[in-house]
Amino acid sequence: MPPLPTAPLPGFSPRVVCYFQTYHDNGEYISLLPLVTNPSGITHVILSAIHVNWDPNNLTLNDDTPDDPKYTQLWDEAMVLQDSGIKVMCMLGGAAKGSFARLDYSESRTDVPLARFEAYYVPLRNFIRAHNLDGIDLDVEEEMSLPGVVHLIDRLKADFGRDFIVTLAPVATALMAGRPHLSGFDYRLLEAARGRSIAWYNAQFYNGWGGLQNTAAYDEVMRNGWPAEKVVAGMLTNPRHGGSGYVPLELTAAVLSVLVERYPNFGGVMGWEYWSSFPQVEHSWIWSFCMTLCMGMRKR
């Protein structure tokens, strides 16, 4: 049985979050502007993926420097989205390992000097400042210590302030009791230590880490004591996006309607990724519009 629902939070509504990693299709840039010019209902766009590489000065967005001319239109459109009230964030890490190993520092570690952390962190900080991003999503898919991720979160909040959004992207099993996951640290301990600094968790309910074909996996997370407003249910927007676990929209709609009713503070949905989203791959904004309908949200 799922836990008893809590009272609705005043003014809270589910988030509609979409990652954006495939920026070009056959050499043509994929525009984000349809999210603004149509009633998409999107609340947050997360640009993927930033990598901290072996050379501290070689920060990359996917395989290229963020200032490569191929991204000029992206940064121009990011400002348009922000002017329209949509938050634009970046994702750090993901499947390509190394970023968090290089940023894993704590005062208790004698093998990693603070200067090493600074060398890798400062280019990331400067990138966020240069593009005026609203937040960062930490997708830790490699071993990292709990003191290390706490130190990174503390530094981000110190540098960018209270309103800067910090989220994490664990696989869904990381939020369940005693289940394997990818990050190395205990998310319950992280929430206890720095929950006030973490806006929410973009939990990946796909690729074998928990599914959304029914409510069972999300219910299990709730039984482990997580507040529903901090758990965003992540899904694939197309079966070709990143492995297994795609759930057809018709079934997603039914599952989301139950979750919204069962958990009045349901945190929302996350989609991987914007490009080529169903139900109409040539009009990817429709995915987020469908999500707002599934959750009974007001349209933009």
Side-chain angles (χ1 to χ4, degrees), residues 6 12 15 218 222 226-232 263 265-268:
T6 56
F12 181 81
R15 308 168 187 93
Y218 198 93
M222 294 297 100
W226 290 93
E229 65 270 15
K230 294 197 75 171
V231 181
V232 170
Y263 305 107
N265 299 319
F266 177 62

Side-chain angles (χ1 to χ4, degrees), residues 21-22 24-26 30 206-207 235-247 272-278 280-282 284:
Q21 183 176 46
T22 304
H24 299 84
D25 188 15
N26 293 323
I30 300 167
Y206 50 87
N207 283 354
M235 67 189 73
L236 298 175
T237 63
N238 185 313
R240 67 193 286 191
H241 291 170
S244 62
Y246 173 78
V247 179
W272 182 273
E273 62 163 314
Y274 172 67
W275 166 70
S276 198
S277 297
F278 281 175
Q280 294 186 29
V281 295
E282 66 276 15
S284 293

Side-chain angles (χ1 to χ4, degrees), residues 93-104:
K97 295 177 173 58
S99 294
F100 292 102
R102 297 178 180 108
L103 292 167
D104 192 354

Side-chain angles (χ1 to χ4, degrees), residues 20 23 32 45-49 61 74-75 88-91 133:
F20 187 30
Y23 300 106
L32 287 169
V45 171
I46 302 179
L47 309 178
S48 308
L61 176 56
L74 170 67
W75 300 124
V88 179
M89 304 167 58
C90 66
M91 185 194 92
L133 296 173

Side-chain angles (χ1 to χ4, degrees), residues 55-78:
D55 178 352
N57 295 313
N58 185 33
L59 189 82
T60 54
L61 176 56
N62 293 334
D63 298 325
D64 302 283
T65 172
D67 295 322
D68 189 288
K70 69 191 295 183
Y71 294 130
T72 299
Q73 189 170 350
L74 170 67
W75 300 124
D76 289 344
E77 291 188 357

